[in-house]
Amino acid sequence: MEVKNKYVAIKANINGAPEESDFEIKVENLSHMFEPESKEVVIKNLLVSIDPYQINRMKSQSSSQTSISYATAITPGEVIDTYGVGRVLVSHRPDFKKGDLVAGLLTWGEYTVVKEGSLLNKLDPSLAFPLSYHVGVFGFSGLAAYGGFFEVCKPKPGEKVFVSAASGSIGHLVGQYAKLLGCYVVGSAGSQEKVNFLKETVGFDDAFNYKQETDLKSALKRCFTQGIDVYFDNVGGKMLEAAVANMNSFGRVAICGVISEYTNASTRAAPDMKDIVYKRIRIQGFLAADFMPVYADFLSKTVEYLQDGKLKTIEDISQGVESIPSAFIGLFNGDNIGKKIVKVADE
Amino acid sequence: MEVKNKYVAIKANINGAPEESDFEIKVENLSHMFEPESKEVVIKNLLVSIDPYQINRMKSQSSSQTSISYATAITPGEVIDTYGVGRVLVSHRPDFKKGDLVAGLLTWGEYTVVKEGSLLNKLDPSLAFPLSYHVGVFGFSGLAAYGGFFEVCKPKPGEKVFVSAASGSIGHLVGQYAKLLGCYVVGSAGSQEKVNFLKETVGFDDAFNYKQETDLKSALKRCFTQGIDVYFDNVGGKMLEAAVANMNSFGRVAICGVISEYTNASTRAAPDMKDIVYKRIRIQGFLAADFMPVYADFLSKTVEYLQDGKLKTIEDISQGVESIPSAFIGLFNGDNIGKKIVKVADE
């Protein structure tokens, strides 16, 4: 059996904003890996996740994050791993058989050779949801939203919650979890369409287009007349500074990501540390994988909310391996609403 | 009875580094306040605390901290409150009598009229320590060191602890609490004399003079070959950035103060938020007063350590109300080693 795998690679390290010319589509022959003693499982990729954090893995690795597994460098020319959903094509392990639907660490390509020890789980066939939900709301995006909000922010009903990049894969879920808890929720986004989406489709109390604001501190003061208790940060930079200035005493900031800083280090946030001291603010970073201990709780609650129509998840799905570079680049241009996914193959 | 009170005031708001010309010595007549129905207690001040945070109260108040009680504005010409120790001269309250030794919210002056509801506690006469200890190690400096380290940093034995402004009122205590817990402790300070003090007098494992370092990240990398687990920050700015770059996963940063940012907002720290995310770093501000619930525990442990010779506290005491401005200004020039106190009067 011989399989040709078409995949996306970077041509060289990317140190600024990503462009189409930074990527190439390559083809490799996978046949030599189909050895029974390998304990490998070969997956036909169906849906793969497109996430901003990948840009940090594409940079020249001189930073202090290199020792962190989620920040391991992507090698030019090599396959790029990502969370996704696929179907088992060949299995040399007893726990997976041909035809199984799985979610795990796949690749930006048509096939993935999953080595022993890598993340791979069989999907629960009883979950009557679109397969794409396993990439987004039931995957690391949902877990980051749930864990980052409940475990890191420790919110209480009635608290005032601000979410940036609120129409994104994680933000639109955070806002809804916060509403379900009984919080007042405001989101920021980069277009009027997204603002409408937040207020009308997913039920935020308020939202604003940061590109239309001359002063972010004033914008937040207008939206939060009683101050911010919880800030779920997806962007960093000036927005983080403005949020800290508007926070209440004992406020909590969960740093999920800082997309405004990924492609431009000169936009780094310099929040007023006197605010941090006097208001006893807590700023804490996290990774979705940290919340695996609460995954079962997250999944059962999220399934219930979805079934009851209390939670909506929005996806933005492109077609084909060739669309991966533009899908990824689009994240940094604010092209997507909701979770960005590429459908690599139909069933 | 008529008492003339000599006190220190600011002439106008101070928005940069403080200078002698920003202060004046004033005299007021206190006799009109000695009314029995006032429920006031008049204290003869003996020892008063000199702390960097006061500069934030002296600024033009346009910042977001104005609503915080510990940041209430100091009014030009008026008395300035501060923690201190004194003796009751007149009491119109049943819980205090003339001659009682007390610690509480006094003033940068010779006498304090303590109103009902203001912080005032009788000193335990059984504590056989110098009276000045009640201003420093048993006061908010000690409580900030103890609470900030144990309650905010949640340290574990064997962890690697970095303390900046380590020879200061709080820093030299933090390092010793950390050593007593079994941590590896490194401090930064601004002179070779202070470095020697840290290594030889109070037993830090290592210390460095930040003024002699061309690159703070490299300095910390040299001192912490296994990374930093806990950073107790007294300075902010570039040191905070360098510490975050050198932190281990799940590292904790307690922000006690940011003296380098108090007189120059352009030195604000802009730590790499990608580090905060990938290494799941927690940055948290605090105020000593938050730890009143653990005061009894703090005091009993600290008394025991002092009695057993396991903890040393160092004080830098100036004489007389007139010395208060220069004592305060000296904090920003790194003049003091240990707790800065002014002795306003002998017993």
Side-chain angles (χ1 to χ4, degrees):
Chain A
M1 180 174 171
E2 182 165 303
V3 171
K4 286 208 185 302
N5 177 38
K6 201 190 290 178
Y7 68 95
V8 173
I10 54 171
K11 292 183 195 164
N13 293 122
I14 305 171
N15 290 305
E19 297 174 13
E20 287 277 354
S21 59
D22 292 322
F23 298 90
E24 60 184 334
I25 308 289
K26 297 187 75 173
V27 179
E28 64 178 352
N29 193 326
L30 292 184
S31 60
H32 66 287
M33 295 176 180
F34 292 9
E35 304 298 331
E37 63 271 27
S38 70
K39 302 246 175 113
E40 289 169 349
V41 180
V42 182
I43 310 292
K44 184 184 179 193
N45 301 341
L46 299 175
L47 296 148
V48 298
S49 184
I50 309 293
D51 303 284
Y53 79 89
Q54 299 275 22
I55 193 69
N56 297 320
R57 306 177 60 205
M58 295 172 182
K59 291 176 188 172
S60 303
Q61 300 291 313
S62 60
S63 78
S64 49
Q65 291 114 26
T66 49
S67 61
I68 311 296
S69 62
Y70 293 88
T72 50
I74 289 168
T75 306
E78 301 290 313
V79 294
I80 296 169
D81 52 21
T82 186
Y83 197 73
V85 164
R87 199 176 279 285
V88 173
L89 190 69
V90 178
S91 174
H92 296 308
R93 280 166 55 178
D95 45 346
F96 293 98
K97 63 176 194 302
K98 185 172 175 171
D100 282 347
L101 273 173
V102 291
L105 208 57
L106 305 185
T107 55
W108 278 359
E110 293 177 312
Y111 296 92
T112 307
V113 179
V114 178
K115 294 190 192 311
E116 203 180 8
S118 186
L119 177 69
L120 193 67
N121 291 303
K122 261 184 274 202
L123 290 183
D124 181 350
S126 73
L127 288 176
F129 293 106
L131 210 50
S132 57
Y133 279 29
H134 296 280
V135 181
V137 66
F138 300 146
F140 283 115
S141 299
L143 188 60
Y146 183 90
F149 183 61
F150 290 105
E151 301 289 315
V152 176
C153 298
K154 305 277 185 200
K156 291 186 279 288
E159 286 196 318
K160 315 296 181 265
V161 175
F162 174 49
V163 185
S164 58
S167 69
S169 58
I170 298 172
H172 82 289
L173 299 174
V174 171
Q176 293 179 86
Y177 285 128
K179 283 301 297 173
L180 286 163
L181 182 68
C183 296
Y184 174 79
V185 183
V186 178
S188 65
S191 73
Q192 189 57 44
E193 182 194 4
K194 291 177 179 177
V195 167
N196 295 345
F197 163 78
L198 292 171
K199 293 205 278 193
E200 290 156 22
T201 308
V202 288
F204 279 52
D205 293 293
D206 203 352
F208 66 93
N209 177 356
Y210 71 90
K211 291 180 180 169
Q212 300 275 306
E213 301 290 342
T214 49
D215 179 41
L216 295 175
K217 279 190 198 179
S218 303
L220 288 172
K221 201 173 184 68
R222 186 182 73 228
C223 294
F224 290 96
T225 53
Q226 298 173 69
I228 300 169
D229 298 303
V230 165
Y231 173 38
F232 193 102
D233 186 15
N234 291 303
V235 304
K238 295 285 172 209
M239 192 67 91
L240 175 53
E241 295 174 10
V244 164
N246 278 282
M247 291 202 91
N248 292 327
S249 288
F250 301 102
R252 289 131 276 153
V253 179
I255 313 278
C256 179
V258 287
I259 192 168
S260 79
E261 304 185 23
Y262 288 167
T263 56
N264 186 354
S266 72
T267 62
R268 272 192 198 168
D272 189 341
M273 287 289 159
K274 294 195 301 299
D275 275 328
I276 308 286
V277 173
Y278 283 107
K279 301 196 285 192
R280 293 85 128 193
I281 292 170
R282 169 163 60 86
I283 296 179
Q284 191 162 347
F286 68 89
L287 296 175
D290 298 341
F291 307 121
M292 289 310 293
V294 299
Y295 186 84
D297 178 56
F298 148 70
L299 189 65
S300 70
K301 285 215 181 69
T302 301
V303 162
E304 190 187 318
Y305 289 145
L306 286 165
Q307 283 171 338
D308 295 350
K310 293 179 177 169
L311 181 72
K312 287 176 189 157
T313 184
I314 309 298
E315 297 167 339
D316 180 334
I317 304 183
S318 307
Q319 306 288 329
V321 164
E322 289 80 359
S323 76
I324 290 175
S326 65
F328 178 66
I329 292 160
L331 296 175
F332 300 93
N333 300 329
D335 289 351
N336 58 305
I337 291 189
K339 175 67 185 176
K340 186 68 204 177
I341 294 171
V342 170
K343 181 184 260 189
V344 172
D346 290 312
E347 274 284 353
Chain B
M1 184 175 170
E2 180 165 305
V3 171
K4 288 209 184 302
N5 178 36
K6 201 190 292 178
Y7 69 94
V8 173
I10 55 171
K11 292 181 193 165
N13 293 122
I14 305 171
N15 290 305
E19 297 174 12
E20 287 277 353
S21 59
D22 292 320
F23 298 89
E24 60 185 334
I25 307 289
K26 298 187 75 172
V27 178
E28 64 178 354
N29 193 326
L30 292 183
S31 60
H32 66 287
M33 296 178 181
F34 293 9
E35 302 299 331
E37 63 271 29
S38 68
K39 302 248 175 112
E40 289 168 349
V41 179
V42 183
I43 309 292
K44 183 184 180 194
N45 301 340
L46 299 175
L47 296 149
V48 297
S49 184
I50 309 293
D51 303 283
Y53 80 90
Q54 300 274 22
I55 193 72
N56 298 319
R57 305 177 62 205
M58 296 173 182
K59 293 177 188 171
S60 304
Q61 300 291 312
S62 59
S63 78
S64 50
Q65 291 114 26
T66 50
S67 60
I68 310 296
S69 62
Y70 293 90
T72 49
I74 289 168
T75 306
E78 300 291 312
V79 294
I80 296 169
D81 53 20
T82 187
Y83 197 74
V85 164
R87 197 176 280 283
V88 173
L89 189 69
V90 177
S91 176
H92 296 307
R93 281 166 56 180
D95 46 345
F96 293 98
K97 64 176 197 300
K98 182 170 176 173
D100 281 346
L101 272 174
V102 292
L105 208 58
L106 305 184
T107 54
W108 278 358
E110 293 178 312
Y111 297 91
T112 307
V113 179
V114 179
K115 293 190 192 311
E116 204 180 8
S118 186
L119 177 70
L120 195 66
N121 290 304
K122 261 186 274 199
L123 290 183
D124 181 351
S126 74
L127 287 177
F129 293 106
L131 208 51
S132 57
Y133 279 29
H134 296 281
V135 182
V137 67
F138 300 145
F140 284 115
S141 299
L143 188 59
Y146 184 89
F149 182 61
F150 290 106
E151 300 290 315
V152 177
C153 298
K154 305 279 186 199
K156 290 186 280 291
E159 285 196 319
K160 315 294 181 266
V161 174
F162 175 49
V163 185
S164 58
S167 68
S169 59
I170 298 172
H172 83 288
L173 299 174
V174 172
Q176 292 178 86
Y177 285 129
K179 282 300 298 173
L180 286 163
L181 182 68
C183 296
Y184 175 80
V185 183
V186 178
S188 66
S191 72
Q192 188 58 42
E193 182 193 4
K194 290 176 179 177
V195 167
N196 294 345
F197 163 77
L198 292 171
K199 293 205 278 192
E200 291 157 20
T201 306
V202 287
F204 280 50
D205 293 293
D206 204 352
F208 66 92
N209 177 355
Y210 72 90
K211 292 181 180 169
Q212 298 275 306
E213 301 289 341
T214 49
D215 179 40
L216 295 175
K217 279 189 198 180
S218 303
L220 288 172
K221 200 172 184 68
R222 184 181 75 227
C223 294
F224 290 95
T225 53
Q226 298 172 70
I228 300 169
D229 298 303
V230 165
Y231 173 38
F232 193 100
D233 186 15
N234 289 303
V235 303
K238 295 285 171 210
M239 192 68 90
L240 175 52
E241 296 175 10
V244 164
N246 278 282
M247 290 202 90
N248 293 327
S249 288
F250 301 101
R252 288 130 277 155
V253 179
I255 312 277
C256 179
V258 287
I259 193 168
S260 79
E261 304 185 23
Y262 288 166
T263 56
N264 185 355
S266 72
T267 61
R268 272 193 198 167
D272 188 341
M273 288 289 159
K274 295 195 302 299
D275 275 330
I276 308 288
V277 173
Y278 284 107
K279 301 196 286 192
R280 292 85 126 192
I281 292 169
R282 170 163 61 84
I283 296 180
Q284 191 162 346
F286 67 90
L287 295 174
D290 298 339
F291 307 121
M292 289 310 291
V294 299
Y295 187 84
D297 178 54
F298 148 71
L299 189 65
S300 70
K301 284 215 181 70
T302 301
V303 163
E304 189 187 319
Y305 289 147
L306 287 164
Q307 284 172 336
D308 294 351
K310 292 177 178 171
L311 181 72
K312 288 177 187 158
T313 185
I314 310 297
E315 296 165 338
D316 179 334
I317 304 182
S318 307
Q319 305 288 329
V321 165
E322 290 80 357
S323 76
I324 289 175
S326 64
F328 178 65
I329 292 161
L331 296 175
F332 300 92
N333 300 328
D335 288 353
N336 58 305
I337 290 188
K339 175 68 186 174
K340 186 69 206 180
I341 293 171
V342 170
K343 180 183 262 191
V344 172
D346 290 313
E347 275 284 357

